[in-house]
Amino acid sequence: MRFSITKIQEDFPQLKGGSEHYLDSQATSLTPRSVIDAQDAYYLKARANTHRAIFKEAALATDLYEDARTKIANFIGAKREEVILTGGATESSNMLVRMLDETPAFWGSGKREIVTSVMEHHASLVPLQQLAKRKGCMLSHIPLSPGSVRLDVKSVEGLISDETAIVSVMLASNVTGTINPISEIAKVAHRHGAFVVVDATAAIGHIPMHVDDLGADALFFSGHKILGPTGVGVLWVRKEMLEKLQPAVFGGHMISEVTKDDATWGDIPDRFEPGTKNIGGVIGLGAAVDYLNAVGLTEIHRHVSALTKSAIEALDALPGVHVVAERDTELNIGDVSFVCDFAHPHDVAEILGRNGVAVRPGHHCALPYHVELGIAATTRVSFYLYNDEDDVRGLVEAVKKVRALFAD
Amino acid sequence: MDSLYQEHILDHYKHPRNKREMDDADVVQRGKNVSCGDDLTWYVKWEEKGGSQRVADVSFSGYGCALSQSGASMLSLVLKGKTKEEVAALTREDMLALFHADIGHMREKCALLPLSTIKELLKQ
Ligand SMILES: Cc1ncc(COP(=O)(O)O)c(C=O)c1O
């Protein structure tokens, strides 16, 4: 399929009637009609709980749900039984940490360190901090290269040792958009027998991605950032490991046998999916993956990179505006954060919003990264496949209005 | 469009009244909105007058959005000469009224930071 921006824009109902320039896709993406339809189809024709029941809607619901799992697995180059469906990235991250925590064998032979980065989202960082406290582990952080928004990858050699249990690094930053060289970091981690966790939430759906190429052992993301419904997420864990991990959440469907006093666990991935899931949401996410595949991730990245480049150049040209973003736009998933000498990010975002430009101010759940960058807060612009050059123009015009208002 | 950013709010933001650190303050209180990066510190000097403690001098320092900063500037003018009891009696509505504007609920925390911080100061 050729990349046609007009055709794509027609697929997203909220582009008509929503903010004129939706530049907040890194917070959550818009939804194409096909995803809404897929979700509707479940509620209109297949509403039943999944698994076990044998009446026709239940069979249909189960098929749709499991088909979506297969699509998601293919999307990231995984096996379907490695894909655990969750409520979102935050839930996935917490669940994974608990699964590792509850598996004594994982902590064998003196593994007592956790390595992450200063760039992480709180959804990944805070559960690791809590884990480190519970286990009495040392938590260390890959720093930034001086004067750069990027991680100092050379420092990894010194941070990871044979005592490192977990190395957890995000695939791309949700603030500066910078894509991290995960496979390089994973090589060092694996040389020391460490388990590699990747928060792919910001990057997925923006660049082609394959769990084997990354060298990941576990990876997670949310469906709502890639055109899917809210309330659905994915936790992927490599099969050899998943089979050894203890479940962290218990209940129905996950068991093999239950007596009055004990229980044994079912197969993977059921073992990690207790209770009734967001069935309609998962089906919607399957449709989102179909949509992204049809457009093509390489095409999406090319389109978004061009907009990112335009925006960085246009903002650079405005006096008093400072871009805080990955400037090699090949290595940027589509985020351009910036600060203004003349106005606070909240005021910038407010005035932009009043001018139909939807952006987000604040620390974007990455406080340590902002501290490292020496800024309290930024205004973040994020592009996705349905944006175009008119959005860049709208952005720049609105930032000029902010300057006019606040200039002395 | 920008009824929120009226002349007087921008004036207080660009030319804040009583914005300075006070070395000999009796009480100092810092307040923050971590999620937006607003950071405000109040300095108050009390005096005994007519059997009650009054604000003899007040100032603030910090940085943040136009609402938190202009709000602090405007509130500082209100605070001067007030008794502790009068400061304690200031309400959310009193604070919002200073802006003469409809503060959407997304920005209320910014607009109310000066008041919530001075209330914290009273607890010292
Ligand atoms: C990089 C990253 N990780 C994790 C999350 C958490 O995702 P959710 O809020 O959907 O659980 C986000 C969302 O902002 C993110 O950008």
Side-chain angles (χ1 to χ4, degrees), chain A residues 26-27 87-91 120-124 170 172-174 199-203 220-225 232 364-365 380:
Chain A
Q26 189 55 258
T90 303
E91 187 179 311
E120 303 303 306
H121 188 282
H122 301 164
S124 160
M170 70 203 310
S173 163
N174 62 315
D199 175 359
T201 314
F220 59 84
F221 60 90
S222 275
H224 69 93
K225 311 254 187 197
V232 205
H364 319 294
C365 299
R380 181 185 67 194

Side-chain angles (χ1 to χ4, degrees), chain A residues 122-136:
Chain A
H122 301 164
S124 160
L125 176 64
V126 179
L128 288 177
Q129 293 171 342
Q130 296 301 311
L131 176 66
K133 277 189 205 170
R134 288 198 297 273
K135 289 280 173 204

Side-chain angles (χ1 to χ4, degrees), chain B:
Chain B
M1 67 146 188
D2 297 312
S3 60
L4 181 56
Y5 297 95
Q6 296 164 40
E7 215 42 53
H8 76 289
I9 292 181
L10 287 172
D11 180 51
H12 275 275
Y13 179 57
K14 292 179 197 171
H15 312 287
R17 323 299 196 267
N18 302 308
K19 184 164 181 179
R20 66 196 143 84
E21 289 178 18
M22 198 191 287
D23 290 339
D24 55 345
D26 295 322
V27 264
V28 177
Q29 177 72 48
R30 186 170 178 188
K32 282 195 202 187
N33 279 334
V34 175
S35 65
C36 23
D38 292 333
D39 190 334
L40 178 72
T41 303
W42 279 117
Y43 306 83
V44 172
K45 216 184 297 180
W46 299 109
E47 66 183 351
E48 195 73 28
K49 222 180 187 179
S52 51
Q53 291 217 299
R54 288 180 185 274
V55 177
D57 197 8
V58 57
S59 69
F60 73 99
S61 66
Y63 52 85
C65 69
L67 296 189
S68 70
Q69 298 295 301
S70 69
S73 174
M74 294 189 287
L75 186 61
S76 74
L77 299 178
V78 173
L79 291 174
K80 266 198 189 151
K82 285 239 181 319
T83 65
K84 261 189 183 171
E85 292 67 32
E86 285 167 340
V87 176
L90 287 171
T91 64
R92 176 179 166 276
E93 287 69 29
D94 294 333
M95 183 73 221
L96 294 178
L98 295 176
F99 293 94
H100 307 302
D102 184 18
I103 311 278
H105 70 277
M106 307 288 280
R107 297 298 299 279
E108 243 190 53
K109 256 177 93 177
C110 311
L112 292 174
L113 180 66
L115 182 68
S116 57
T117 307
I118 201 80
K119 293 278 170 97
E120 278 302 308
L121 176 141
L122 289 180
K123 292 182 192 161
Q124 288 190 32

